[in-house]
């Protein structure tokens, strides 16, 4: 049994049962499916990698506190669609106390739910299971049998699991280190390979080739490869333009390794040399990024770090001539949003925008301080649209973001993606050394 599951059991308590479903396969087109990705919460608790599975967790059940319903072994299905762990594998390899074929879930559900006051279940994700559970509970409401009662309190387990996921264990940190290392090497490879005339798609392919060659399952999110003004579109994923001499390229790409995401952005000149104007914007973003990394330490709050990024970027935009006026007033009026319209970072883990609340209280008024064991991105940027007539002409069409992944430690922090150059001289040196 995973130690995460033991901790979850403690959190839900004796008088409860949790029903946690795996992700389902999704149709891509006609009779082909998207590559399967396990539900992050299910994976976090069980490690079980297959679709069509349900975990039933009953801490007070001495004999079977952890039951897995799974696809049974089936030689014919396995010949067509791949191997299955089956009920034997669920017990032997994933620590289930008992396992049954998924088809038996409906029949066994009443016995598993009844007698517990609380049901931990997340509605709104799996329609079929939602209906099954709701129908059962609503029928039970009208019955007056002298049998154990069904749960009367339904609690969403998301928050409990999210709080656990937010604080990474040493084992998770090791995996994330590797995820970050693979992504860092992919960015280095891209920096060495990029030249005018290539397509964004080819750059994407180089990055993702490295991911797969290094043991990652693939990208953790759709890779963003934006050359020239495409870098000013935040979630640009068409990746179909040709790289032009004299432009910058922005690459935001991270891999998924053993389920864990990395998330790196680098922006660099396609021909290996920054122009003066590019360098001016770049230096502002880099300076802000370095300061915000310093602020990613225990005790500083999410909001303080966001405000720091806003203040420094607003100052920087003034220096560049993108904004004019009193800094405080510009901040109050959110003038910076014209060029910096996203947050400075987010939690990172099994999901690229990982689980965990950003506020301490239910009213979302108390910003949360960072704690050792959290992993966050730091990703300020400045994006000047090509048709922005308010901006100095030399800056139009330039987009710069620099993003690293940072582990908060007892002593300060550790930048898990520091291997990829980000100082302009280092980038230029790397890009020109291979030519
Ligand atoms: N790649 C998504 C993000 O940086 O948040
Ligand atoms: Mn990010
Ligand atoms: Mn990113």
């Amino acid at each position: 049994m995973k130690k995460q599951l033991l901790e979850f059991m403690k959190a839900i308590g004796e008088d409860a049962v949790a029903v946690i479903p795996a992700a389902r396969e999704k149709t891509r087109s006609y009779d082909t499916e998207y590559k399967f990705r396990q539900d992050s919460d299910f994976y976090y608790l069980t490690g079980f990698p297959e679709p069509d599975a349900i975990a039933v967790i009953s801490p007070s059940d001495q004999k079977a506190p952890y039951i897995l319903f799974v696809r049974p072994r089936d030689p014919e299905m396995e010949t067509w669609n791949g191997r299955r762990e089956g009920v034997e594998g669920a017990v032997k390899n994933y620590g289930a106390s008992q396992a049954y074929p998924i088809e038996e879930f409906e029949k066994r559900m009443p016995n598993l739910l009844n007698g517990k006051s609380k049901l931990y279940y997340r509605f709104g994700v799996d329609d079929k299971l939602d209906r099954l559970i709701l129908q059962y509970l609503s029928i039970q409401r009208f019955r007056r049998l002298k049998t154990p009662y069904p749960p009367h309190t339904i609690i969403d387990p998301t928050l409990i699991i999210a709080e656990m996921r937010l604080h990474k264990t040493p084992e998770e940190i090791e995996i994330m280190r590797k995820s970050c290392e693979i992504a860092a090497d992919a960015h280095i490879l891209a920096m060495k390979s990029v030249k005018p005339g290539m397509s964004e798609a080819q750059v994407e392919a180089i990055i993702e080739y490295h991911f797969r060659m290094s043991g990652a399952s693939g990208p953790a999110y759709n890779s963003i490869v934006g050359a020239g003004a495409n870098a000013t579109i935040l979630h640009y994923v068409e990746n179909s333009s040709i790289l032009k001499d004299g432009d910058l390229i922005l690459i935001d790409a991270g891999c998924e390794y053993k389920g864990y995401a990395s998330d790196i952005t680098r922006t660099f000149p396609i021909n290996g040399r920054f122009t003066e104007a590019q360098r001016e914007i770049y230096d502002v973003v880099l300076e802000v990024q370095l300061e915000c990394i310093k602020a990613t330490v225990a005790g500083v709050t999410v909001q303080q770090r966001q405000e720091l990024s806003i203040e420094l970027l607003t100052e920087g935009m003034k220096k560049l001539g993108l904004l004019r006026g009193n800094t405080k007033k510009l901040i109050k009026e959110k003038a910076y949003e014209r060029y910096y319209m996203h947050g400075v970072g987010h939690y990172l883990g099994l999901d690229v925008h990982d689980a965990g609340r950003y506020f301490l209280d239910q009213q979302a008024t108390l910003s949360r301080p960072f704690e050792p064991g959290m992993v966050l991105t730091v990703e300020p940027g400045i994006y000047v649209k090509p048709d922005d007539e308010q901006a100095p002409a030399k800056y139009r069409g330039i987009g710069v973001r620099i993003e690293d992944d940072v582990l908060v430690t007892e002593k300060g922090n550790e930048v898990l993606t520091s291997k990829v150059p980000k100082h302009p001289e280092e980038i230029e040196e790397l890009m020109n050394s291979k030519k």
Side-chain angles (χ1 to χ4, degrees):
M1 219 182 284
K2 279 184 78 180
K3 90 177 165 199
Q4 281 86 352
L5 186 57
L6 289 169
E7 199 181 323
F8 177 71
M9 282 185 177
K10 251 195 234 145
I12 66 172
E14 296 280 306
D15 194 19
V17 54
V19 175
I20 313 279
R24 290 188 189 269
E25 282 181 308
K26 291 193 179 64
T27 302
R28 178 170 178 271
S29 179
Y30 186 46
D31 61 354
T32 56
E33 271 109 33
Y34 284 105
K35 190 167 158 178
F36 180 71
R37 165 61 158 77
Q38 189 55 282
D39 176 86
S40 293
D41 283 351
F42 182 85
Y43 185 74
Y44 183 78
L45 294 178
T46 69
F48 194 72
E50 297 179 14
D52 294 326
I54 300 173
V56 178
I57 298 149
S58 319
S60 61
D61 191 329
Q62 304 290 330
K63 230 173 74 209
Y66 169 35
I67 298 177
L68 271 178
F69 289 86
V70 301
R71 303 181 303 186
R73 299 291 312 268
D74 179 333
E76 193 188 338
M77 288 302 284
E78 290 184 56
T79 298
W80 284 89
N81 298 327
R83 294 188 180 87
R84 295 174 171 188
E85 286 288 342
V87 290
E88 305 84 356
V91 172
K92 197 162 148 247
N93 303 326
Y94 293 90
S97 354
Q98 287 175 5
Y100 300 103
I102 185 77
E103 291 77 18
E104 291 185 23
F105 177 77
E106 187 170 355
K107 185 181 81 188
R108 293 182 180 272
M109 182 179 67
N111 265 341
L112 295 171
L113 300 193
N114 293 348
K116 314 283 190 319
S117 302
K118 292 179 273 185
L119 166 63
Y120 281 84
Y121 179 72
R122 184 175 52 167
F123 279 103
V125 178
D126 187 319
D127 286 349
K128 262 167 110 179
L129 192 56
D130 284 1
R131 245 174 291 132
L132 198 69
I133 290 177
L134 268 177
Q135 264 167 15
Y136 176 70
L137 292 179
S138 51
I139 290 166
Q140 289 298 307
R141 258 204 307 261
F142 300 108
R143 295 175 78 175
R144 301 287 183 268
L145 297 179
K146 288 181 184 147
T147 50
Y149 294 116
H152 52 71
T153 305
I154 302 172
I155 305 171
D156 189 332
T158 305
L159 188 57
I160 292 179
I161 304 171
E163 285 303 299
M164 290 169 60
R165 281 175 55 185
L166 177 56
H167 299 91
K168 272 72 182 173
T169 64
E171 294 79 17
E172 288 181 289
I173 290 168
E174 277 321 299
I175 296 173
M176 291 194 73
R177 226 183 263 291
K178 179 75 180 170
S179 180
C180 287
E181 189 192 325
I182 294 171
D185 285 335
H187 277 261
I188 292 172
L189 184 63
M191 267 183 201
K192 287 187 186 164
S193 314
V194 156
K195 48 182 186 290
M198 283 173 79
S199 69
E200 292 167 344
Q202 287 172 324
V203 179
E204 180 182 11
I206 289 170
I207 295 251
E208 295 183 6
Y209 165 85
H210 184 81
F211 289 169
R212 300 294 305 276
M213 287 300 283
S214 309
S217 57
Y221 52 92
N222 290 334
S223 302
I224 298 167
V225 181
N230 293 339
T232 66
I233 302 167
L234 295 181
H235 287 164
Y236 174 80
V237 289
E238 283 165 55
N239 302 352
S240 56
S241 298
I242 300 297
L243 276 49
K244 286 214 286 285
D245 201 338
D247 278 350
L248 291 175
I249 183 168
L250 181 154
I251 303 177
D252 182 344
C255 66
E256 188 168 286
Y257 177 76
K258 297 193 175 168
Y260 287 79
S262 42
D263 183 8
I264 302 178
T265 307
R266 286 293 183 270
T267 311
F268 53 93
I270 288 163
N271 65 12
R273 297 275 172 218
F274 285 90
T275 66
E276 227 168 273
Q278 289 164 353
R279 181 71 196 260
E280 283 160 9
I281 293 191
Y282 191 92
D283 285 346
V284 167
V285 177
L286 180 58
E287 182 67 30
V288 177
Q289 205 241 6
L290 293 171
E291 289 303 313
C292 289
I293 288 176
K294 281 190 210 155
T296 309
V297 290
V300 174
T301 68
V302 172
Q303 189 182 342
Q304 283 167 343
R305 188 179 73 148
Q306 181 64 20
E307 284 171 359
L308 176 69
S309 77
I310 289 169
E311 195 184 314
L312 296 177
L313 280 170
T314 302
E315 291 283 356
M317 288 171 200
K318 274 173 68 177
K319 209 172 75 187
L320 294 167
L322 289 168
L323 297 179
R324 258 180 291 275
N326 175 277
T327 305
K328 278 210 176 95
K329 191 158 170 271
L330 289 169
I331 290 173
K332 199 159 163 246
E333 290 166 356
K334 301 192 173 168
Y336 56 86
E337 279 188 353
R338 189 176 179 90
Y339 304 110
Y340 171 54
M341 53 299 269
H342 57 74
V344 72
H346 49 84
Y347 302 137
L348 185 71
L350 284 168
D351 285 296
V352 63
H353 299 151
D354 205 36
R357 285 191 164 174
Y358 288 92
F359 291 93
L360 292 171
D361 58 334
Q362 190 71 12
Q363 290 73 32
T365 57
L366 288 171
S367 185
R368 181 173 203 149
F370 303 129
E371 293 166 56
M374 292 182 179
V375 180
L376 291 118
T377 67
V378 186
E379 50 180 306
I382 292 181
Y383 315 90
V384 186
K385 289 268 174 239
D387 57 356
D388 186 334
E389 300 201 344
Q390 281 182 32
K394 61 178 177 174
Y395 296 143
R396 290 177 204 162
I398 293 179
V400 174
R401 176 165 67 255
I402 308 168
E403 175 173 30
D404 281 302
D405 304 339
V406 176
L407 166 70
V408 180
T409 62
E410 295 288 343
K411 291 199 188 105
N413 67 38
E414 182 187 336
V415 181
L416 303 176
T417 48
S418 60
K419 198 171 173 186
V420 203
K422 62 182 170 185
H423 291 277
E425 293 79 13
E426 286 169 17
I427 291 176
E428 290 183 349
E429 196 188 315
L430 177 71
M431 292 188 74
N432 291 294
S433 62
K434 40 84 199 197
K435 283 178 185 158

